[in-house]
């Protein structure tokens, strides 16, 4: 009586839930009973793809191979041969390996796989080549359907982020089974918005944020405590701006799934990416918001150009009466200067309070200049040069187009003269000149069209400038009463680089987008103090 090992496999959890394994087990047991065989072991692989997962990474298959080497069974029985795998470059040789070990390989549907001649080898390869192709087709169909669902704004499965939940809204799948859709969880939404707001406006780090949420008794979907990585994923996930996203497809904007606006999401993603080690050269914000000084990631040594660090200088001295006074003073330090690295001969340390005060005064000058300039005047100033340039360009292009039209008309009149032999041009010369003028006319028309399009975009530019104006006035209103963390974030967004040199010489660079706005609205502000 032959000893039989049975191997069952399903690729997805859905197949497990639909009782595919019991079906395979029933068929294999029935088949073995008809043959008079004894099943001595059964192994099942749950959620293991026979196409994506190689044989060497399938634990159950490796266990069966080890037993085959020890001759613990005589027959390997599967429901269908594709349960052994669907890889044409691997599975045929797995089957052949078992046969060479003296193990018969059987399928309840396809019989025994033998290797008596070259035809058997060919059929064995063709079988798994077909299985591989079918798996590829299935993968393509699934990806296409997922893409269609995402494009239609339909939830297509996958992990539901913190801030959302799944609910039944009456949608059915093709089998008539209710499927759930994604919607905002009102309670969790407030936490997600708080995470974004505090990260962006206060510079709160992911570790600090997780600790604070856990201290308030908040937990994730699965009841676990928040970790720094949990917060980081929330800040980096673009779906919170109102999208459904797969690796290949992004849905249209879905207002009912938007928890934070797109600009907030863009800024928080940029903030988190700046704090990655790989982007340290681009960083403008501090690693942490727990510092005792106002400046951080955008502060540099004016000598060596390296970023300055913030430290607490602790000292003490004895008074005349014998009492001891301790001093704790925040300072900025250039480690390259203190350690004599890269030839830096700049000042080693700076009093943070003195530097912070000087930079704050520059910020006050900027805010005051904006507040003293009415919104309409500030936008008009910024737009004036652009409008003048557009008008001049449009006039020149229109003039050039009219001139080219006239010249083309004159050349066209020469055609009849040329036919009568009365023209001073030959037919070839005239043809070349007409073609050239037609090309010039086409280019002039294109230029006029482009200028018209740019003129139409001026409304968008005005909106953008209005946003800059609102940003500056908002900063001006909150800066003096804001806590240290918020001031630090405002200065890091406004100033892209601050350099400190000997004698407390400070050079300040304004962020490019704001700089262009300020050059017209407040051109007299001195940024070197």
């Amino acid at each position: 009586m032959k000893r039989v090992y049975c191997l069952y496999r399903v690729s997805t959890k859905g197949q497990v839930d639909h009782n595919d394994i019991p079906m395979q087990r029933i068929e294999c047991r029935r088949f073995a009973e008809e043959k008079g065989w004894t099943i001595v072991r059964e192994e099942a692989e749950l959620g293991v793809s026979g196409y994506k997962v190689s044989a060497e990474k399938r634990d159950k298959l490796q266990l069966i191979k080890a037993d085959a080497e020890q001759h613990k069974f005589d027959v390997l029985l599967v429901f269908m041969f594709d349960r052994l795998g669907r890889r044409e470059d691997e599975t045929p040789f797995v089957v052949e390996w078992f046969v060479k070990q003296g193990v018969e390989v059987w399928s309840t549907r396809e019989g025994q796989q033998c290797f008596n001649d070259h035809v058997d080898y060919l059929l064995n390869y063709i079988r798994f080549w077909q299985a591989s192709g079918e798996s590829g087709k299935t993968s393509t169909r699934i990806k296409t359907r997922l893409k269609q669902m995402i494009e239609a704004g339909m939830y297509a499965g996958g992990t539901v982020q913190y801030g959302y939940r799944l609910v039944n809204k009456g949608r059915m799948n093709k089998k008539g089974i209710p499927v759930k859709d994604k919607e905002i969880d009102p309670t969790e939404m407030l936490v997600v918005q708080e995470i974004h707001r505090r990260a962006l406006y206060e510079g709160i780090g992911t570790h600090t944020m997780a600790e604070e949420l856990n201290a308030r008794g908040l937990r994730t979907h699965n009841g676990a405590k928040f970790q720094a990585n949990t917060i980081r994923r929330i800040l980096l996930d673009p779906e919170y701006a109102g999208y459904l996203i797969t690796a290949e497809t992004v849905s249209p904007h879905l207002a009912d799934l938007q928890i934070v606006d797109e600009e907030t999401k863009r800024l928080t993603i940029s903030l988190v990416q700046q704090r990655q080690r790989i982007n340290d050269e681009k960083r403008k914000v501090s690693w942490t918001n727990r510092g005792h000084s106002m400046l951080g990631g955008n502060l540099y040594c004016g000598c060596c150009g390296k970023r300055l660090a913030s430290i607490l200088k602790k000292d003490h001295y004895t008074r005349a009466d014998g009492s001891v006074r301790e001093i704790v003073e925040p300072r900025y330090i250039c480690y390259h200067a203190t350690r004599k690295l890269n030839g830096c001969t700049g000042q080693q340390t700076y009093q943070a309070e003195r530097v912070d005060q000087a930079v704050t005064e520059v910020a006050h000058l900027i805010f005051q200049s904006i507040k003293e300039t009415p919104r309409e005047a500030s936008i008009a100033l910024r737009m004036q040069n652009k409008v003048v340039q557009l008008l001049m360009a449009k006039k020149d292009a229109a003039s050039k187009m009219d001139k080219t039209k006239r010249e083309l008309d004159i050349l066209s009149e020469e055609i009849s003269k040329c036919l009568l032999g009365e023209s001073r041009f030959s037919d070839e010369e005239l043809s070349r000149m007409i073609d050239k003028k037609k090309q010039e006319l086409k280019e002039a028309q294109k230029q006029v069209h482009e200028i018209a399009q740019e003129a139409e975009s001026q409304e968008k530019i005005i909106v953008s400038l209005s946003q800059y104006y609102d940003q500056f006035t908002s900063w001006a209103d909150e800066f003096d009463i804001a806590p240290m963390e918020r001031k630090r974030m405002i200065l890091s967004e406004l100033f892209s680089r601050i350099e400190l040199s000997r004698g407390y010489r400070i050079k300040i660079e304004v962020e490019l987008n704001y700089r262009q706005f300020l050059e017209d609205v407040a051109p007299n502000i001195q940024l070197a103090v």
Side-chain angles (χ1 to χ4, degrees), residues 277-391:
R277 292 284 181 185
I278 193 173
N279 295 324
D280 191 53
E281 292 298 321
K282 302 176 183 178
R283 179 168 60 90
K284 298 192 304 172
V285 295
S286 312
W287 282 114
T288 175
N289 72 319
R290 294 178 174 175
H292 298 275
S293 51
M294 194 178 300
L295 306 175
N298 59 351
L299 189 62
Y300 296 85
C301 173
C303 177
C304 66
K306 298 297 183 180
R307 186 179 282 114
L308 300 184
S310 175
I311 63 170
L312 275 180
K313 175 67 175 179
K314 297 182 179 180
D315 202 351
H316 65 276
Y317 67 90
T318 304
R319 296 189 180 96
D321 60 4
S323 61
V324 178
R325 181 185 178 187
E326 292 187 353
I327 301 175
V328 179
E329 181 183 66
R331 294 188 179 184
Y332 297 118
I333 181 171
C334 176
Y335 282 116
H336 290 76
T338 59
R339 298 172 184 176
K340 309 300 181 183
L341 301 175
N342 69 9
C344 181
T345 58
Q347 188 167 322
Q348 297 181 1
T349 62
Y350 301 85
Q351 293 178 347
E353 183 179 357
R354 182 175 174 182
V355 177
D356 292 350
Q357 182 178 356
V359 174
T360 300
E361 289 176 0
V362 174
H364 278 139
L365 285 173
I366 294 175
F367 298 151
Q368 190 63 33
S369 296
I370 300 299
K371 292 186 72 173
E372 290 176 354
T373 305
R375 174 194 293 270
E376 294 75 13
S378 66
I379 295 175
L381 284 170
R382 182 71 179 90
M383 294 294 294
Q384 185 175 357
N385 292 337
K386 188 65 175 178
V387 171
V388 170
Q389 291 173 3
L390 279 175
L391 290 174

Side-chain angles (χ1 to χ4, degrees), residues 170-434:
R171 188 160 61 94
M172 303 284 187
N173 65 14
K174 63 181 181 181
K175 296 181 179 179
I177 300 174
V179 293
K180 294 184 177 182
D181 282 297
K182 187 176 175 181
E183 73 171 16
I184 293 175
D185 184 303
T187 302
E188 294 181 356
M189 173 190 70
L190 298 177
V191 179
V192 172
Q193 290 174 339
E194 177 187 348
I195 290 172
H196 283 78
R197 183 178 63 255
R198 297 195 65 196
L200 188 59
Y201 290 92
E202 300 177 29
I204 301 293
T206 55
H207 289 279
T208 303
M209 194 91 67
E211 290 174 358
E212 293 184 4
L213 294 178
N214 291 330
R216 285 157 53 185
L218 297 175
R219 295 294 182 264
T220 63
H221 280 325
N222 57 9
K225 289 185 176 182
F226 282 90
Q227 305 293 329
N229 279 339
T230 312
I231 305 299
R232 187 173 181 275
R233 283 195 297 270
I234 290 175
L235 293 173
L236 286 174
D237 193 340
E239 291 199 16
Y240 287 108
Y243 296 93
L244 295 173
I245 301 174
T246 65
E248 301 175 348
T249 309
V250 178
S251 73
H253 183 258
L254 306 170
D256 57 340
L257 291 182
Q258 179 176 311
I259 293 180
V260 297
D261 63 83
E262 294 194 44
E263 180 64 11
T264 296
K265 174 51 65 178
R266 182 187 69 80
L267 292 173
T268 52
I269 290 176
S270 174
L271 177 65
V272 175
Q273 290 175 342
Q274 281 188 58
R275 283 178 167 160
Q276 294 176 348
R277 292 284 181 185
I278 193 173
N279 295 324
D280 191 53
E281 292 298 321
K282 302 176 183 178
R283 179 168 60 90
K284 298 192 304 172
V285 295
S286 312
W287 282 114
T288 175
N289 72 319
R290 294 178 174 175
H292 298 275
S293 51
M294 194 178 300
L295 306 175
N298 59 351
L299 189 62
Y300 296 85
C301 173
C303 177
C304 66
K306 298 297 183 180
R307 186 179 282 114
L308 300 184
S310 175
I311 63 170
L312 275 180
K313 175 67 175 179
K314 297 182 179 180
D315 202 351
H316 65 276
Y317 67 90
T318 304
R319 296 189 180 96
D321 60 4
S323 61
V324 178
R325 181 185 178 187
E326 292 187 353
I327 301 175
V328 179
E329 181 183 66
R331 294 188 179 184
Y332 297 118
I333 181 171
C334 176
Y335 282 116
H336 290 76
T338 59
R339 298 172 184 176
K340 309 300 181 183
L341 301 175
N342 69 9
C344 181
T345 58
Q347 188 167 322
Q348 297 181 1
T349 62
Y350 301 85
Q351 293 178 347
E353 183 179 357
R354 182 175 174 182
V355 177
D356 292 350
Q357 182 178 356
V359 174
T360 300
E361 289 176 0
V362 174
H364 278 139
L365 285 173
I366 294 175
F367 298 151
Q368 190 63 33
S369 296
I370 300 299
K371 292 186 72 173
E372 290 176 354
T373 305
R375 174 194 293 270
E376 294 75 13
S378 66
I379 295 175
L381 284 170
R382 182 71 179 90
M383 294 294 294
Q384 185 175 357
N385 292 337
K386 188 65 175 178
V387 171
V388 170
Q389 291 173 3
L390 279 175
L391 290 174
M392 291 178 62
K394 184 178 180 182
K395 182 178 179 180
D396 291 343
S399 175
K400 182 178 180 181
M401 184 175 68
D402 291 340
K403 179 182 177 183
T404 305
K405 281 183 178 180
R406 290 194 301 270
E407 292 173 345
L408 188 59
D409 290 339
I410 293 172
L411 290 174
S412 297
E413 292 176 358
E414 285 287 325
I415 295 176
S416 57
K417 295 181 180 180
C418 186
L419 293 174
L420 297 172
E422 298 175 356
S423 175
R424 65 181 184 274
F425 305 111
S426 67
D427 55 348
E428 292 181 356
E429 290 174 333
L430 188 59
S431 177
R432 285 196 302 269
M433 294 170 66
I434 290 176

